[in-house]
C-alpha cells in the first residue's frame, strides 16, 4: 500500500543551522508530494509541493526535490530561524484510485536562538 | 478569501454523550476530508467526500463515527457514545478537484472526553 515515512523527531538546531528532514514514500505510479507545516497553536498549512519527478518545490527558503529513483522528498533549508519551529508533515496523493492523502507521522523541529 | 472554518473550536463532553463537529469548506471546493490528530501523533484519515460520489469511509475507526455533507458544502462529523480515546483534534480540509491537489486545512476542533 501507499505510505510515507519521515525521520523521527524532535530535531533541535541552533539558529542559522542547515536543516534536512528526510521523507521517503511507497506508492505505485506517480503521486504528488507535499510538505505541510503546523506552527504552534495553528492549523496545518501547505508549505510546498511537487507533482512530478525531478520537480523542486520551494517556499519561505525551504526546498524539496521529487526523487523518483530514491522515492524521496527530503525537506531542506539552508539557514533556519527560531520562527521555523513547528511540526513538518510529508504527504503524498495519488492521481488515480482515490484521492486520499497519506501523511507521515510528522517531525517536530525546535530552533534555538 | 475565506478559508476553511470549523466549529466549535473546543468541545468538552462526558463519556457516552454524542457530539457533532461542523466544517465549512472553501467555497467551490468539491473535495472535503476529515482527519484526527491525537496528541503527539500524525494525521489519521477518517473520511473523504468528493462531489456527488459516495464518500470514502475507510478511515472511520468504528460505527460510532459518521459524517455527512449536505448540498456539497457543509459537513458534519458525528461521534456517538463518545469514549475517552476519542479525545483528539479533529481537522477538516477541503480541496479543489483539479489543479494543485493540495488541501486547505481548518483550525480544527479540540475534543476532550471526560
Amino acid at each position: 500500500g501507499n505510505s510515507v515515512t519521515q525521520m523521527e523527531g524532535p530535531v533541535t538546531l541552533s539558529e542559522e543551522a542547515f536543516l534536512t528532514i528526510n521523507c521517503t514514500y511507497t506508492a505505485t505510479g506517480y503521486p504528488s508530494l507535499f510538505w505541510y507545516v503546523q506552527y504552534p497553536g495553528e492549523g496545518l498549512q501547505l508549505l510546498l509541493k511537487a507533482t512530478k519527478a525531478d520537480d523542486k518545490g520551494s517556499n519561505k527558503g525551504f526546498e524539496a526535490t521529487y526523487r523518483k529513483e530514491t522515492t524521496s522528498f527530503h525537506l531542506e533549508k539552508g539557514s533556519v530561524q527560531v520562527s521555523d519551529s513547528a511540526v513538518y508533515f510529508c504527504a503524498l496523493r495519488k492521481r488515480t484510485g482515490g484521492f486520499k492523502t497519506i501523511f507521515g507521522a510528522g517531525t517536530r523541529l525546535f530552533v534555538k536562538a | 478569501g475565506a478559508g476553511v472554518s470549523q466549529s466549535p473550536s473546543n468541545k468538552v463532553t462526558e463519556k457516552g454523550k454524542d457530539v457533532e463537529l461542523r466544517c465549512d469548506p472553501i467555497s467551490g471546493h468539491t473535495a472535503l476530508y476529515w482527519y484526527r490528530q491525537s496528541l503527539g501523533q500524525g494525521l489519521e484519515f477518517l473520511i473523504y467526500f468528493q462531489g456527488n460520489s459516495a464518500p470514502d469511509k475507510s478511515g472511520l475507526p468504528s460505527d460510532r463515527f459518521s459524517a455527512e455533507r449536505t448540498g456539497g458544502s457543509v459537513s458534519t462529523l458525528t461521534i456517538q457514545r463518545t469514549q475517552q480515546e476519542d479525545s483528539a483534534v479533529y481537522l477538516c480540509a477541503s480541496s479543489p478537484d483539479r489543479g494543485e491537489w493540495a488541501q486547505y486545512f481548518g483550525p480544527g476542533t479540540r475534543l476532550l472526553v471526560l
Side-chain angles (χ1 to χ4, degrees):
Chain A
N2 303 317
S3 66
V4 175
T5 302
Q6 292 182 233
M7 65 187 290
E8 288 190 21
V11 174
T12 302
L13 296 174
S14 298
E15 211 166 20
E16 300 183 1
F18 184 86
L19 168 71
T20 300
I21 300 179
N22 290 339
C23 171
T24 57
Y25 68 90
T26 301
T28 56
Y30 298 88
S32 294
L33 302 175
F34 305 87
W35 277 100
Y36 285 83
V37 58
Q38 186 175 30
Y39 297 104
E42 298 185 15
L44 272 81
Q45 54 187 276
L46 178 67
L47 179 61
L48 54 84
K49 68 181 190 299
T51 57
K52 61 183 187 295
D54 299 327
D55 264 4
K56 177 184 284 187
S58 61
N59 186 25
K60 299 182 180 180
F62 290 88
E63 293 183 340
T65 301
Y66 189 143
R67 302 285 189 199
K68 184 157 180 65
E69 64 275 14
T70 54
T71 61
S72 65
F73 193 54
H74 304 323
L75 183 68
E76 297 182 335
K77 186 174 185 182
S79 177
V80 294
Q81 305 301 311
V82 172
S83 57
D84 294 326
S85 298
V87 181
Y88 293 82
F89 294 89
C90 184
L92 71 82
R93 182 176 178 183
K94 290 188 65 179
R95 300 169 188 272
T96 59
F99 298 87
K100 190 166 58 180
T101 298
I102 308 298
F103 285 83
T107 302
R108 184 175 295 277
L109 171 66
F110 291 105
V111 180
K112 303 179 297 184
Chain B
V4 177
S5 60
Q6 293 185 243
S7 61
S9 54
N10 291 282
K11 177 72 176 178
V12 180
T13 190
E14 294 179 346
K15 177 181 174 181
K17 301 282 191 180
D18 298 351
V19 296
E20 284 190 352
L21 312 180
R22 177 186 167 104
C23 172
D24 280 272
I26 292 173
S27 178
H29 282 191
T30 59
L32 186 148
Y33 310 77
W34 283 99
Y35 295 90
R36 179 168 69 176
Q37 186 178 25
S38 302
L39 186 62
Q41 303 297 311
L43 274 70
E44 176 186 5
F45 166 79
L46 297 177
I47 189 169
Y48 158 71
F49 297 89
Q50 171 63 51
N52 295 321
S53 302
D56 177 352
K57 304 179 182 181
S58 60
L60 294 178
S62 78
D63 59 8
R64 296 187 296 105
F65 288 73
S66 63
E68 62 178 22
R69 189 179 185 191
T70 54
S73 181
V74 172
S75 177
T76 302
L77 176 70
T78 301
I79 309 174
Q80 295 178 311
R81 304 180 303 282
T82 52
Q83 303 295 313
Q84 289 182 331
E85 60 263 29
D86 299 334
S87 297
V89 177
Y90 289 82
L91 296 170
C92 175
S94 70
S95 176
D97 62 343
R98 292 182 179 83
E100 64 181 17
W101 295 75
Q103 295 174 41
Y104 299 82
F105 282 81
T109 294
R110 187 175 300 274
L111 174 66
L112 177 61
V113 181
L114 301 177

